[in-house]
Amino acid sequence: MLGSTAMTHPFHIVDVFAERPYAGNQLAVVTHADDLSDETMQQIATEMNFSETTFVYNAPERDGGHRVRIFTPAREIAFAGHPILGTAWVIREQIAPGSSAPVRLNLAVGQVPVTFEAAADEAETAWFRAPQVTSGATCDREPVAAALGISPDDIETTSPIQQMTAGISAMIVPLRSLDALRRCKLDLDAFAPLTRQGFPSLVYLFCRETHHARNDLCVRFFFEAHGVREDPATGNGAAFLGAYLLQHPILPGSSLSLRIEQGYEMNRPSLVRLRAGTADGTPEVSVGGRVIPVIKGELL
């Protein structure tokens, strides 16, 4: 309670998919969350006002995983990428220090293991294997262009606009240029006819033109949470994109290892790593990025 000196709920703010502090996508991770009600978790997530806030329960469950719940400022969701990586980092550093085993998160979509990979010439990267992604309906360019404030000619025709799903759903939209990507802004009123057709108001846009030559794709992600918000880095969107690119091979090679830039329009440059391939006929998609701690404290 406010005014009390007891502090029972530590929290950590980390920047995920960041190459430096105060970049990437912010995440608040609240630990010792067992006694928090659903309503209180939602209120805390709204107070934090990041794309997502996660809540970690104290004791590992029987299968060795840590129960984790993910909230946006508006609702609880089943799956999101940067909360997986950031929460796993906090668990490893604060709850299970010294362990070299994968950190296993028990989410609404099932258990997701996170591994940590260090290269000699790079900082440590956290990786998660995406749950199964299913492809859904495709959509014409014209209504999507109208909802984004661009011309239908700004949208690629070599691969479709398509809904992808893993716990939540998003629309993958291929664009022709970085200029088109910069001009996009989601209009929920203009998107309403698509919503009535069953398409989600979560839109992941990508193009092959990039800010930096060493990167492979540039992306943006818009979603609805008390109005339109933009994500500076989107792990679940990258997982959707990996499955999409395996289905629509617009990039060379049967296996992909990509550097995806995001967040430049928000002054929070981000780098998302994506690996995608097929093993025994089954698509396998992994998403990785750096996690940088910036703030720790206690909820009063």
Side-chain angles (χ1 to χ4, degrees):
M1 296 177 61
L2 291 176
S4 171
T5 58
M7 298 183 178
T8 59
H9 297 100
F11 74 88
H12 300 262
I13 295 177
V14 294
D15 290 335
V16 186
F17 300 123
E19 298 295 289
R20 58 172 175 79
Y22 312 117
N25 202 346
Q26 310 105 309
L27 174 72
V29 182
V30 179
T31 61
H32 303 82
D34 302 64
D35 64 334
L36 297 176
S37 68
D38 294 4
E39 180 183 10
T40 300
M41 290 184 188
Q42 184 63 74
Q43 289 172 333
I44 292 168
T46 304
E47 181 80 7
M48 293 295 185
N49 202 33
F50 296 149
S51 297
E52 285 92 16
T53 295
T54 63
F55 298 86
V56 183
Y57 288 69
N58 284 339
E61 298 183 332
R62 287 189 301 273
D63 55 3
H66 296 264
R67 186 184 180 197
V68 174
R69 297 174 68 181
I70 306 171
F71 286 77
T72 76
R75 63 186 63 86
E76 184 174 8
I77 60 175
F79 168 61
H82 90 278
I84 290 174
L85 298 184
T87 303
W89 187 93
V90 170
I91 290 172
R92 188 187 65 164
E93 295 297 315
Q94 302 297 326
I95 298 175
S99 174
S100 60
V103 176
R104 302 181 184 279
L105 307 187
N106 291 345
L107 306 175
V109 293
Q111 188 174 94
V112 177
V114 177
T115 58
F116 296 86
E117 181 180 293
D121 58 342
E122 293 186 355
E124 181 182 68
T125 301
W127 289 91
F128 75 86
R129 175 70 61 82
Q132 182 180 2
V133 178
T134 58
S135 56
T138 60
C139 184
D140 293 336
R141 291 187 298 164
E142 288 74 10
V144 174
L148 294 172
I150 58 176
S151 165
D153 292 336
D154 288 318
I155 299 176
E156 276 283 5
T157 57
T158 53
S159 61
I161 300 168
Q162 188 167 26
Q163 181 175 340
M164 309 296 285
T165 300
I168 63 171
S169 297
M171 297 182 71
I172 305 295
V173 182
L175 299 179
R176 294 184 185 276
S177 68
L178 192 58
D179 174 66
L181 187 72
R182 288 177 175 137
R183 288 187 277 111
C184 288
K185 186 174 182 180
L186 180 62
D187 182 330
L188 292 176
D189 290 334
F191 194 89
L194 293 170
T195 302
R196 290 192 288 271
Q197 295 176 41
F199 289 105
S201 54
L202 295 86
V203 184
Y204 187 90
L205 316 159
F206 77 95
C207 71
R208 298 179 65 176
E209 186 180 359
T210 58
H211 294 270
H212 298 287
R214 65 183 179 274
N215 297 331
D216 301 292
L217 299 171
C218 189
V219 309
R220 296 179 74 183
F221 180 68
F222 296 103
F223 64 102
E224 189 279 323
H226 302 312
V228 173
R229 293 174 67 107
E230 181 171 358
D231 224 5
T234 313
N236 56 356
F240 295 153
L241 179 63
Y244 175 95
L245 292 174
L246 291 176
Q247 183 176 344
H248 308 288
I250 60 177
L251 297 176
S254 57
S255 62
L256 302 172
S257 180
L258 303 176
R259 294 167 56 97
I260 300 173
E261 59 183 33
Q262 190 176 351
Y264 285 81
E265 293 74 15
M266 307 174 67
N267 197 31
R268 292 193 66 91
S270 306
L271 181 64
V272 180
R273 306 295 183 95
L274 174 65
R275 294 171 178 166
T278 303
D280 297 325
T282 301
E284 293 186 350
V285 178
S286 295
V287 178
R290 290 185 63 189
V291 180
I292 300 177
V294 290
I295 296 172
K296 62 181 180 180
E298 304 275 351
L299 298 179
L300 302 179

